[in-house]
Amino acid sequence: MSHFTLFQRDDCHLCDQALAVLAAARFPDFVSVWIDDDEGLEARYGARVPVLRRGDGVELEWPFDVEAARRFAA
């Protein structure tokens, strides 16, 4: 099971940028969750996506860079 979740939405250019940053950081495996069809997630993350959440509940909001992603995963 992954210890990281990336909250994102369909057709989100910022989400695409976040995925590129995570790839460049060689980020550990994560689960992608699309918020589009979930009212609760939309209410919580709607204007904030992409948001990366660690298993302990700590969140890293966009914008983040390679170094921030690496520190977050450490």
Side-chain angles (χ1 to χ4, degrees):
M1 179 161 75
S2 176
H3 295 286
F4 299 98
T5 304
L6 179 66
F7 293 95
Q8 57 186 321
R9 63 174 68 251
D10 289 330
D11 300 318
C12 169
H13 74 281
L14 296 177
C15 300
D16 294 340
Q17 290 176 15
L19 289 168
V21 168
L22 295 176
R26 296 187 175 182
F27 201 80
D29 287 340
F30 59 91
V31 174
S32 289
V33 173
W34 283 264
I35 69 166
D36 302 284
D37 296 324
D38 185 308
E39 290 181 17
L41 292 176
E42 181 67 46
R44 182 173 180 174
Y45 294 108
R48 297 177 21 200
V49 293
V51 174
L52 187 61
R53 186 171 69 191
R54 209 167 44 203
D56 62 2
V58 175
E59 295 180 341
L60 179 63
E61 294 191 28
W62 186 259
F64 50 84
D65 60 15
V66 169
E67 289 306 314
R70 287 180 179 157
R71 283 191 305 272
F72 191 69

